[in-house]
Amino acid sequence: MPAALVLLASVAVFALGYRYYSRYLAEKVYALEPGFVTPAHTYKDGVDFVPTNRHIVFSHHFISVAGAAPIVGPAVAVFWGWGPALAWILLGTVFAAGVHDFGAIVVSVRHKARSIGTLAGEVISRRSRTLFLVIIFFLLTMVNAVFAVVISNLFVNYPAAILPVLVTIPLAVAVGQIVYKRRTAALVPSIIALALIYVCIPLGVMFPIDISGLAEAVGTTPNTLWIILLFVYAFIASRIPVWMLLQPRDYINLHQMLLAFVVIFLGVIVGWDTIVAPMINSDVPADSPPWFPLLFITIACGAISGFHSLVSSGTTAKQIDKETDTRLVGYLGATGEGTLAVCSILACTAGVVAASTSPLADWRGLYGDFGSASAGATGNFVEGVGQFANNLGVPLEIGVIFAVVVVVSFAATTMDTGVRLQRYIVQEIAEIVRFRFLARNLTVATLIATLVPLALALIPGDFAFGTLWQLFGTTNQLTAGLALAVIAVWVTKRRRNPLAILVPLVFLLFMTSWALIVNLIAFVRSDDLIDRFLLAPLDFVIFALAIWLIVEAAIALRKAWAVRNSPVAEEAESEAGTEVTDPKEK
């Protein structure tokens, strides 16, 4: 199967989904109103609440939600065959991710741009706020730990990429100073910074940075030392103002992602590489984990991701100029991440062995068992993208380092945001339990947000992808389930048909719960002490949260249905851009 045909067909599916299904959601489910006064106008302050052109909001939203996760998940999942992985990405993006991301923005806009956690407490129940905080704490802990391992592995395996990645930090700071201090548009400084980063790629090849000697001197391994250094960086990055580093890195990464898409698309078409991996891989070891249901948590980002609801109901909802803009920002943003996931599949099934004389045999060597498939997933992606770039005349080594820089940039930005969000969660939990010292002390809260995932990342053993990644996927899907439950209740109360939300909600909760049970049995039966005494209890806690979420969602939906059928419960909306959801309040 030519990779170009799969890519073009996938883009066509996403385009049809946006053209028709998102229109159905906008008109029949969410009932968007062009004249609705959004919180960006009602609470306009020039800082957080700023009415913004929808294309600019889309750029911010897309780069905030699209990171390394839609690369890593599909790169692991093709172990079971590219057919199931592609099918889940296409169907999940069109009928789940688009519904989730689009709906999270709409509901937040209708409730003063409040976060999804606050909305869970208001729309479902007060207990749901606590449920949300606990799930998000687990989610952020694991995503920060996993991405630290991803970056450290890439640095050790591709030391030539370290220089251009390190140069990104001072360049982003410089862009931030230019944009915010001199009030200059970000486009030109960002493009110049990106050009300088890529100039450093051949320099990195000439002068690779190897810290194995330093690691040996301090009595540790290069991977461990890099993980520690990455969390030291994340601690600092999460404490400084967002305009100094995080936001200017977003500007740079936006152009970097667009360039990566261009390289991959043109490389696939020009090279006309063939997918050599089986559509359904029946030649897997007997002890391999089953693709059903684990596929649906291995690929979370790229099909549907609960992390998106944090962004949708956070910064994005505060910038929406017109309510009708939510369709382009939310749904199209989801299809953009789905496209990145498809590119990951093609890189790992066609690009990675494109230059091989025995492509199928070499691919089976890379994906011989689930452990090797998981551990080598990111490396397979960067090698595949390097081959796509080589199809365009770029030297293979330069193309590979280019791909590594892209992955590390996205993963590092996710860590920056993740540790910062983790600090917020720690402080909010401390506020609930009335531990005021922790709630008000930014340094201690950030320290906890850094040390917890650091400890998880430093646990010995190669489980960061094979098992920890799946636990990350389950918490991510539970977050998506909670957001979908909030959206479903809101839609039901508005006397709209909630079926478009209920189908992905039920599917997600069922698959996630099933996957948790499968993993729990495997952990308990394992002879590994980490599996038995760390991952098994962790899996059980997440499973308990899943059951809790199912109960809360069922109760809330039943109440919403009763309100829907009540003649005194019709929803009302104020001119200030906020919605009255309590009949007594009306």
Side-chain angles (χ1 to χ4, degrees):
M1 173 70 74
L5 295 183
V6 173
L7 179 60
L8 295 175
S10 299
V11 172
V13 169
F14 293 147
L16 291 172
Y18 177 73
R19 173 66 179 84
Y20 294 105
Y21 195 59
S22 71
R23 182 176 181 179
Y24 163 75
L25 294 172
E27 295 178 355
K28 304 299 182 181
V29 180
Y30 300 138
L32 302 185
E33 297 180 12
F36 183 81
V37 182
T38 65
H41 290 279
T42 305
Y43 307 107
K44 182 178 179 180
D45 59 7
V47 179
D48 295 316
F49 293 86
V50 181
T52 308
N53 179 278
R54 63 177 183 164
H55 299 289
I56 297 177
V57 181
F58 168 80
S59 299
H60 159 77
H61 178 80
F62 179 50
I63 201 61
S64 297
V65 301
I71 293 172
V72 178
V76 175
V78 292
F79 166 77
W80 294 299
W82 63 268
L86 180 65
W88 170 228
I89 289 170
L90 296 180
L91 294 174
T93 297
V94 173
F95 296 108
V99 174
H100 170 274
D101 296 15
F102 184 5
I105 301 176
V106 172
V107 176
S108 181
V109 165
R110 286 292 180 123
H111 291 80
K112 302 180 181 179
R114 293 190 179 104
S115 71
I116 196 68
T118 302
L119 293 177
E122 294 179 359
V123 176
I124 297 181
S125 69
R126 292 183 179 180
R127 295 184 303 272
S128 297
R129 182 189 176 202
T130 304
L131 171 63
F132 172 83
L133 293 175
V134 175
I135 292 176
I136 293 302
F137 182 85
F138 278 108
L139 170 62
L140 294 174
T141 296
M142 282 181 278
V143 73
N144 290 332
V146 168
F147 283 165
V149 176
V150 168
I151 298 173
S152 68
N153 287 341
L154 289 174
F155 277 173
V156 171
N157 294 327
Y158 302 95
I162 297 175
L163 179 61
V165 169
L166 293 181
V167 166
T168 304
I169 299 174
L171 287 175
V173 172
V175 171
Q177 294 291 327
I178 293 172
V179 171
Y180 288 93
K181 294 294 186 179
R182 299 185 181 181
R183 303 295 179 183
T184 303
L187 178 61
V188 174
S190 299
I191 294 177
I192 293 174
L194 185 61
L196 292 174
I197 291 170
Y198 289 152
V199 166
C200 290
I201 289 180
L203 293 178
V205 174
M206 295 171 59
F207 305 103
I209 299 176
D210 186 357
I211 65 168
S212 56
L214 177 61
E216 184 178 355
V218 297
T220 187
T221 65
N223 287 82
T224 299
L225 184 56
W226 273 122
I227 289 172
I228 294 173
L229 292 175
L230 285 167
F231 275 104
V232 170
Y233 158 78
F235 176 88
I236 297 171
S238 64
R239 283 300 313 274
I240 62 179
V242 292
W243 63 266
M244 290 185 66
L245 179 60
L246 184 61
Q247 288 182 347
R249 280 190 66 164
D250 281 347
Y251 300 149
I252 297 171
N253 282 344
L254 172 63
H255 301 104
Q256 184 161 220
M257 177 169 286
L258 294 176
L259 180 61
F261 272 140
V262 170
V263 169
I264 294 172
F265 272 57
L266 292 180
V268 168
I269 294 173
V270 171
W272 204 254
D273 298 315
T274 301
I275 297 177
V276 300
M279 179 177 287
I280 298 178
N281 189 12
S282 57
D283 187 19
V284 298
D287 59 348
S288 300
W291 75 268
F292 199 91
L294 296 183
L295 171 72
F296 304 102
I297 60 170
T298 301
I299 301 179
C301 301
I304 178 171
S305 168
F307 186 79
H308 293 194
S309 67
L310 306 183
V311 178
S312 298
S313 63
T315 56
T316 301
K318 295 178 176 63
Q319 301 175 55
I320 295 296
D321 181 31
K322 299 179 181 178
E323 189 177 64
T324 49
D325 294 346
T326 57
R327 178 189 174 195
L328 180 140
V329 175
Y331 198 96
L332 193 62
T335 62
E337 185 170 76
T339 304
L340 181 59
V342 172
C343 291
S344 179
I345 287 179
L346 300 181
C348 295
T349 58
V352 70
V353 291
S356 171
T357 56
S358 303
L360 179 57
D362 288 345
W363 185 86
R364 291 197 180 281
L366 296 172
Y367 285 90
D369 59 72
F370 190 72
S372 60
S374 300
T378 313
N380 294 335
F381 172 81
V382 300
E383 294 289 341
V385 173
Q387 185 60 53
F388 291 152
N390 187 246
N391 293 339
L392 303 177
V394 178
L396 182 60
E397 187 176 13
I398 299 296
V400 169
I401 300 305
F402 161 77
V404 173
V405 172
V406 170
V407 175
V408 171
S409 297
F410 295 163
T413 302
T414 302
M415 280 191 68
D416 293 351
T417 304
V419 173
R420 188 181 294 268
L421 290 173
Q422 186 83 320
R423 186 189 77 205
Y424 298 157
I425 296 299
V426 169
Q427 290 180 290
E428 197 163 351
I429 292 175
E431 195 72 49
I432 291 176
V433 300
R434 299 183 180 180
F435 189 4
R436 294 183 178 178
F437 169 77
L438 180 58
R440 298 176 181 176
N441 194 307
L442 296 181
T443 301
V444 176
T446 307
L447 198 60
I448 293 174
T450 304
L451 292 179
V452 173
L454 171 61
L456 198 59
L458 291 179
I459 292 174
D462 187 18
F463 67 93
F465 297 103
T467 53
L468 188 58
W469 181 265
Q470 291 180 5
L471 291 178
F472 151 69
T474 56
T475 53
N476 203 1
Q477 304 303 57
L478 287 181
T479 305
L482 181 57
L484 286 171
V486 172
I487 299 167
V489 171
W490 180 78
V491 167
T492 301
K493 286 184 177 180
R494 286 170 56 84
R495 301 174 184 244
R496 295 281 173 173
N497 187 350
L499 188 62
I501 302 103
L502 291 178
V503 170
L505 170 61
V506 173
F507 181 83
L508 270 186
L509 293 180
F510 177 75
M511 288 300 173
T512 301
S513 301
W514 188 359
L516 284 166
I517 293 173
V518 170
N519 275 334
L520 182 60
I521 294 173
F523 293 150
V524 171
R525 291 178 176 177
S526 174
D527 294 329
D528 190 290
L529 294 180
I530 293 177
D531 287 352
R532 279 192 176 185
F533 298 105
L534 174 64
L535 298 182
L538 187 58
D539 187 286
F540 180 79
V541 170
I542 298 173
F543 178 71
L545 294 175
I547 299 302
W548 183 6
L549 174 55
I550 292 171
V551 173
E552 291 287 348
I555 294 174
L557 285 169
R558 186 179 66 179
K559 290 182 178 179
W561 194 261
V563 170
R564 170 195 177 104
N565 296 325
S566 172
V568 298
E570 187 171 344
E571 301 292 335
E573 293 156 13
S574 72
E575 292 179 306
T578 180
E579 190 171 17
V580 180
T581 57
D582 187 346
K584 296 180 181 178
E585 196 173 319
K586 183 181 178 184

